[in-house]
Amino acid sequence: MLALLLVVALAMAFTFTNGFHDSANAIATSVSTRALTLRAALLMAAVGNLVGSFFGTKVASTVGEGIIELDVSSHAMLLVGCALVGAICWNLVTWWFGLPSSSSHALIGGMVGAALAGGMAVLWDGVIDKVLIPMVISPIAGFVLGYLVMIAIMWLFRNASPSVAGRRFRRAQTCSAAAMAFGHGMQDAAKTMGIVVLALVVSGRQDDYSIPLWCFLTTAAVLALGTATGGIRIMRTLGRKIIELDPPQGFAAEATAASVLYVASMGMGAPVSTTHVISSAIMGVGSTRRFSAVRWGTAGNMVVAWVTTFPAAALIAALAVAIASVFT
């Protein structure tokens, strides 16, 4: 019982770091275009995450059942805990440096690294189909769709006064930011719920992978609390260091990212990265101005963080397994 409580506590710690690490995903563009104040944007993101968590059961199922195969044992509980340690540590490292890396892929990487180090089976078909392929496709989709949506907006409002269009899209960003926050809840709260249910199963406390009501409520509340703490470092990278956004561009990026998240969550049950999706959408939208308008040096640093997240979290989790094995 103590091991289960410790794993659940680690899962909630990961959720909290996820909240302040990824809160920028939903609100950076709205704050940078001054569509919302920071306080209002944080509140909206927290509420959106809370509500969206109840619609992420497909993603939770993928994380709980489709990544690694564990037996019912104390050793399996140890591996789940070490997977969370790997994800939390990498979240803190990238948060410290202000890099918008993927909490999702940190968690999956931690799970794979812990399983390999602990001699448990990795379901590679699930990792490839539900994680790696969507990891590549989702940012490409975000970039291309962001570019096309912005082109459509520019054509539809080509005769509108810039000041009038700016005011209208600033108001519209309230809706697009809420949609982005909802999508973030569908993805990121669901991943934690999936790993909590996995812990319940391997501890023998539960026979199936259904999500208890307390797990919904606790995960969503902790994610909302983490979101409310901010994430200013990463927000600056997304909101201003990639490109200076105006309200129409901010709306296009958020609407695009939210659409990709909905398809991935409710259509495919794929745990994609909200960070990858919104960042690539911002780049696609910014490219309509001119390709040189995007600060590709900053974008390159982000890509490095994306590529290293999975193996880095896996390595940290594997080291955690090795260290824990010495004391158990």
Side-chain angles (χ1 to χ4, degrees):
M1 184 64 179
L2 181 61
L4 176 61
L5 291 175
L6 180 59
V7 168
V8 172
L10 284 172
M12 294 306 135
F14 168 75
T15 303
F16 185 81
T17 64
N18 191 333
F20 72 68
H21 189 280
D22 288 2
S23 60
N25 296 342
I27 65 176
T29 52
S30 295
V31 173
S32 68
T33 62
R34 297 179 177 84
L36 295 171
T37 64
L38 177 58
R39 181 174 296 181
L42 285 170
L43 178 61
M44 176 179 290
V47 173
N49 285 336
L50 181 65
V51 177
S53 65
F54 290 93
F55 295 84
T57 52
K58 284 189 176 182
V59 175
S61 177
T62 296
V63 173
E65 300 179 70
I67 305 301
I68 58 178
E69 185 174 348
L70 301 177
D71 55 20
V72 179
S73 66
S74 58
H75 181 61
M77 289 294 291
L78 174 68
L79 298 186
V80 175
C82 290
L84 288 164
V85 168
I88 291 169
C89 289
W90 187 248
N91 265 0
L92 292 174
V93 168
T94 51
W95 169 80
W96 179 256
F97 289 102
L99 295 174
S101 68
S102 168
S103 296
S104 307
H105 297 146
L107 178 59
I108 303 299
M111 293 173 70
V112 170
L116 291 175
M120 294 291 183
V122 176
L123 304 176
W124 288 110
D125 287 344
V127 173
I128 293 171
D129 293 342
K130 294 290 188 178
V131 179
L132 296 182
I133 291 177
M135 182 175 72
V136 174
I137 293 176
S138 59
I140 295 174
F143 184 93
V144 173
L145 290 175
Y147 182 89
L148 294 176
V149 168
M150 192 62 216
I151 290 293
I153 288 174
M154 292 167 63
W155 185 83
L156 290 171
F157 294 90
R158 62 190 182 279
N159 295 323
S161 165
S163 60
V164 172
R167 286 196 302 271
R168 291 177 177 174
F169 276 103
R170 196 169 278 119
R171 288 194 292 269
Q173 271 196 273
T174 303
C175 297
S176 61
M180 182 64 197
F182 183 87
H184 180 252
M186 280 197 299
Q187 278 286 328
D188 290 58
K191 291 155 192 165
T192 298
M193 292 188 292
I195 203 163
V196 168
V197 170
L198 176 63
L200 290 171
V201 171
V202 300
S203 68
R205 299 281 173 176
Q206 188 167 303
D207 295 328
D208 59 20
Y209 286 86
S210 60
I211 304 171
L213 180 60
W214 67 263
C215 186
F216 274 106
L217 297 176
T218 305
T219 303
V222 172
L223 183 63
L225 181 63
T227 298
T229 65
I232 302 298
R233 293 173 184 267
I234 295 170
M235 194 185 308
R236 286 171 179 160
T237 298
L238 280 178
R240 295 193 179 277
K241 289 187 179 180
I242 298 176
I243 187 172
E244 295 282 349
L245 297 173
D246 58 27
Q249 291 172 330
F251 172 82
E254 289 171 338
T256 296
S259 299
V260 173
L261 290 177
Y262 292 169
V263 171
S265 301
M266 305 187 80
M268 302 168 58
V272 301
S273 168
T274 53
T275 306
H276 290 201
V277 173
I278 186 61
S279 301
S280 59
I282 289 172
M283 293 179 206
V285 166
S287 297
T288 60
R289 189 182 299 173
R290 63 183 186 279
F291 267 73
S292 60
V294 178
R295 298 185 179 99
W296 294 107
T298 299
N301 292 336
M302 290 167 53
V303 170
V304 171
W306 293 352
V307 172
T308 56
T309 289
F310 193 100
L315 179 60
I316 295 171
L319 288 174
V321 171
I323 293 170
S325 297
V326 174
F327 298 96
T328 56

